[in-house]
Amino acid sequence: MGDRSEAGRTREVLEAERERTLAAVRGLDRDREGIVESARLSAVDDEHDPEGATLGFERAHLEALLAAARGRLDDLDRALERLAAGTYGICTSCGAPIGAGRLAARPAAALCISCA
């Protein structure tokens, strides 16, 4: 990582992305709980109710989105740890620098393009 101001800008980018991702996780959690509560309140028989499959699909879709958002949050936390340790921007697999373009597109990237 370059000079101190570059590290500060990188921290701001990572923290802003972390806050956006955390807000998404919270929203998806609320949506999932709404579906669960809705299904609990209506005695839906997924097998015989035409709406049952839709509720099941929506819940599975939200679960997948939630898992991806939580994974992104973990990636951002690890990127912040690498930044604090002075290893941000260095591939965790081969030790080569991660290209600036890749880091601009994926600030939490831990792997260079070759290792990805």
Side-chain angles (χ1 to χ4, degrees), residues 12-59:
E12 288 174 9
V13 167
L14 290 169
E15 287 176 348
E17 184 64 25
R18 187 182 189 287
E19 285 304 312
R20 283 190 295 274
T21 304
L22 190 56
V25 166
R26 289 178 180 143
L28 290 166
D29 262 335
R30 281 191 303 273
D31 291 349
R32 185 193 59 193
E33 291 306 316
I35 288 174
V36 169
E37 184 64 16
S38 176
R40 189 183 68 75
L41 293 175
S42 64
V44 174
D45 176 3
D46 282 0
E47 186 176 339
H48 298 99
D49 184 356
E51 290 298 313
T54 302
L55 286 175
F57 173 80
E58 287 178 18
R59 183 173 178 186

Side-chain angles (χ1 to χ4, degrees), residues 1 6 18 26 32 57-58 60 68 74 85-86 93 103 105 111:
M1 192 86 239
E6 184 180 341
R18 187 182 189 287
R26 289 178 180 143
R32 185 193 59 193
F57 173 80
E58 287 178 18
D74 290 342
S93 180
L103 289 173
L111 300 173

Side-chain angles (χ1 to χ4, degrees), residues 47-107:
E47 186 176 339
H48 298 99
D49 184 356
E51 290 298 313
T54 302
L55 286 175
F57 173 80
E58 287 178 18
R59 183 173 178 186
H61 181 70
L62 278 172
E63 292 289 344
L65 291 173
L66 190 54
R70 286 182 175 149
R72 174 89 176 132
L73 197 57
D74 290 342
D75 290 345
L76 289 161
D77 286 341
R78 284 191 298 272
L80 285 163
E81 289 169 5
R82 288 191 306 277
L83 184 64
T87 60
Y88 179 82
I90 299 170
C91 180
T92 58
S93 180
C94 71
I98 299 173
R102 179 161 171 74
L103 289 173
R106 300 183 62 108

